[in-house]
Amino acid sequence: MNKFIKNKLIFEKYKNIIPAACSTLAKSPNRLFADYSPFVIRSANGAFFIDADNNKWIDCEMAMGSVVWGHARKEINSEIITQLNKGCHFSLPSIREYELADILLNRYPMYSSIKFFKNGADSVYAAVKAARYLTGKSATLSLEYHGWLDWSICGSYNVKPQDVGIPMSSTIDYIYCSKEQLLNTVNDNRDRLCAVVLCPANYSPDLLMQVKNFCNNSNILLIFDEVTSGIRFGYGGATVAYDIYPDFLCLSKGLTNGLPLAVVLGKKYNMLIMEKLKISSAHAGENISLAAAIACEKLLEKNKTCWPSWKNQTNKIISDINEIITKFHAKLFLSGNAGWFSIRSDSNDFWSDPFREYFVKYLATKNIYTKGYILFSDAHTQNEINYVGENICKCLTDYCNGIELNSL
């Protein structure tokens, strides 16, 4: 196919210059498929982007879910441009930092203190470090990916420390387990654990409450990593939806519609000790991201009665998918929710799952971009969401009927 000539030429050049041809591994073309997938983007607007060969795609990735309001959203761009003319980064705290702090603490009134970071991994690690100090213990327990830092990466990737450049001593106090083992593992390690770190959208409220109660009675701090879920799940994320509040709440993607910013919220004493712990980031108070976040909060406040705006349509698609899976007795299962979802086979590794390859390639023939996850935004129209949903259902039906991709 000739529609990807420039995409492939650029990739071939830069894969030997930038590791994985992209500084963000989750965006790497290594997870995509030549002659089907675009590798490089030139521009994006609303729910679409234009690749290096000027092909137009419906974006169902939305920058790993961080672009909630659509690319180049007018109201957000306006705030960014206004702030650019006032200065990007100051020598003292910006008034914008205080404005955003008040807005977020108003959205999460159960917390009284907040600290900003530039990425989700740093925000979660700051909470872990504070938990070590506050409890006098050092072990952490988690079940999911929380960034590339030493304290958790081996478990989330299921690799040996030496295989990812980590000394064995760094993993002594890190415990990783399955969801089924969660409660027993917390109980067995209660004297060692300073923190349990969970992505709450992946659990039932009942299980989360059991974990919270156990932590409260065992001098263990509970940390919710809502870096990915956040407002994709609901107005206050899974935390507010479930009415279960951890000791530390970490947010990032979705705060700024794609600019770098993360936060940790918590009780005053738990948070203010971060000064003593020397937790700091040179660019955390940079104004452009703060201005974008304030603009996003204004949009969210206007839309909070029906949020996410794409929820009802997406739930209909999810229902249709499950009906097809049931009808064909397919060895496939859907995970996720209206904020984001994926369909998998029984393969243990999502990235090598043969169904993922079929799914990504099939939708690419319809100029729908995905790596296997489906993430909509406020900019996707009803027609665009319906188009994506119809093609997902056609893809599933063809896959279950054994139709080869090259015959489409």
Side-chain angles (χ1 to χ4, degrees):
M1 299 173 68
N2 293 323
K3 66 183 290 187
F4 297 111
I5 292 175
K6 292 181 181 178
N7 277 273
K8 290 189 287 187
L9 285 174
I10 294 170
F11 171 65
E12 287 300 318
K13 176 181 178 180
Y14 287 98
K15 72 179 184 181
N16 297 313
I17 297 174
I18 300 173
C22 182
S23 296
T24 304
L25 290 182
K27 295 182 181 181
S28 173
N30 288 332
R31 293 181 172 181
L32 297 169
F33 305 99
D35 295 325
Y36 283 91
S37 304
F39 287 171
V40 182
I41 294 176
R42 289 197 182 278
S43 64
N45 191 278
F48 294 86
F49 68 79
I50 306 296
D51 70 17
D53 290 277
N54 292 319
N55 303 304
K56 187 176 182 179
W57 299 82
I58 296 179
D59 192 353
C60 289
E61 168 72 13
M62 301 309 292
M64 303 176 295
S66 61
V67 176
V68 174
W69 299 100
H71 299 291
R73 181 74 176 234
K74 179 178 65 176
E75 298 95 324
I76 300 169
N77 283 359
S78 176
E79 290 287 340
I80 290 171
I81 292 167
T82 298
Q83 184 58 54
L84 274 172
N85 290 323
K86 294 180 178 180
C88 175
H89 204 171
F90 298 156
S91 302
L92 287 169
S94 166
I95 195 68
R96 291 282 198 176
E97 183 171 350
Y98 300 143
E99 290 173 4
L100 182 57
D102 286 341
I103 290 170
L104 288 173
L105 289 172
N106 183 62
R107 182 148 69 91
Y108 292 94
M110 66 294 302
Y111 296 115
S112 53
S113 186
I114 187 171
K115 185 172 176 63
F116 294 100
F117 297 85
K118 269 300 170 200
N119 63 73
D122 284 356
S123 68
V124 177
Y125 182 61
V128 167
K129 188 175 181 181
R132 290 174 183 156
Y133 175 83
L134 291 163
T135 64
K137 297 183 284 185
S138 57
T140 56
L141 169 65
S142 72
L143 286 70
E144 295 125 332
Y145 177 78
H146 302 291
W148 65 276
L149 301 177
D150 289 8
W151 75 273
S152 68
I153 189 173
C154 291
S156 59
Y157 276 109
N158 192 27
V159 294
K160 297 177 181 178
Q162 59 268 30
D163 292 340
V164 284
I166 297 174
M168 285 295 296
S169 58
S170 296
T171 62
I172 292 173
D173 287 322
Y174 175 63
I175 303 166
Y176 186 85
C177 72
S178 68
K179 186 183 295 187
E180 293 73 25
Q181 299 169 322
L182 176 56
L183 291 174
N184 287 336
T185 304
V186 175
N187 183 52
D188 292 344
N189 294 277
R190 61 196 304 166
D191 294 332
R192 297 177 56 209
L193 285 172
C194 72
V196 174
V197 188
L198 300 174
C199 299
N202 297 336
Y203 304 87
S204 69
D206 180 64
L207 180 57
L208 290 173
M209 184 56 74
Q210 290 182 65
V211 174
K212 177 177 170 61
N213 290 337
F214 197 98
C215 288
N216 286 344
N217 295 324
S218 305
N219 189 31
I220 301 170
L221 298 186
L222 182 60
I223 301 169
F224 278 180
D225 176 350
E226 288 223 59
V227 166
T228 298
S229 52
I231 65 169
R232 282 205 156 270
F233 193 93
Y235 175 74
T239 296
V240 172
Y242 293 162
D243 196 27
I244 300 173
Y245 303 102
D247 297 287
F248 294 103
L249 173 62
C250 305
L251 306 168
S252 183
K253 294 186 179 78
L255 280 175
T256 62
N257 205 46
L259 275 74
L261 189 70
V263 301
V264 182
L265 298 104
K267 295 178 180 178
K268 187 173 295 186
Y269 176 76
N270 291 354
M271 291 292 300
L272 294 184
I273 57 97
M274 288 189 182
E275 178 186 6
K276 179 178 181 178
L277 301 182
K278 311 303 181 186
I279 297 172
S280 183
S281 174
H283 301 286
E286 167 267 316
N287 285 301
I288 307 306
S289 296
L290 296 172
I294 291 170
C296 289
E297 290 295 316
K298 291 176 180 177
L299 286 170
L300 182 61
E301 193 63 25
K302 291 178 182 178
N303 289 272
K304 69 178 182 180
T305 56
C306 184
W307 185 259
S309 58
W310 61 90
K311 180 177 181 178
N312 292 337
Q313 274 188 282
T314 307
N315 282 337
K316 175 62 168 58
I317 293 171
I318 289 172
S319 177
D320 291 342
I321 291 169
N322 283 324
E323 283 186 17
I324 293 171
I325 291 173
T326 300
K327 175 183 175 181
F328 285 95
H329 304 286
K331 292 183 178 179
L332 300 170
F333 63 94
L334 184 147
S335 61
N337 51 63
W340 71 98
F341 68 86
S342 64
I343 308 165
R344 305 166 185 245
S345 71
D346 291 332
S347 172
N348 290 325
D349 180 15
F350 180 66
W351 300 113
S352 62
D353 186 342
F355 176 76
R356 184 187 81 90
E357 179 174 353
Y358 188 96
F359 184 77
V360 169
K361 288 181 174 180
Y362 189 105
L363 292 187
T365 67
K366 313 299 181 183
N367 277 67
I368 299 169
Y369 174 72
T370 174
K371 294 198 307 285
Y373 294 93
I374 297 295
L375 302 101
F376 294 119
S377 74
D378 188 65
H380 286 78
T381 66
Q382 290 187 0
N383 287 340
E384 290 155 5
I385 293 173
N386 286 339
Y387 176 77
V388 173
E390 288 167 3
N391 280 289
I392 290 174
C393 291
K394 289 176 183 176
C395 171
L396 278 170
T397 301
D398 286 354
Y399 180 83
C400 292
N401 283 323
I403 296 176
E404 299 290 335
L405 278 166
N406 56 17
S407 67
L408 297 175

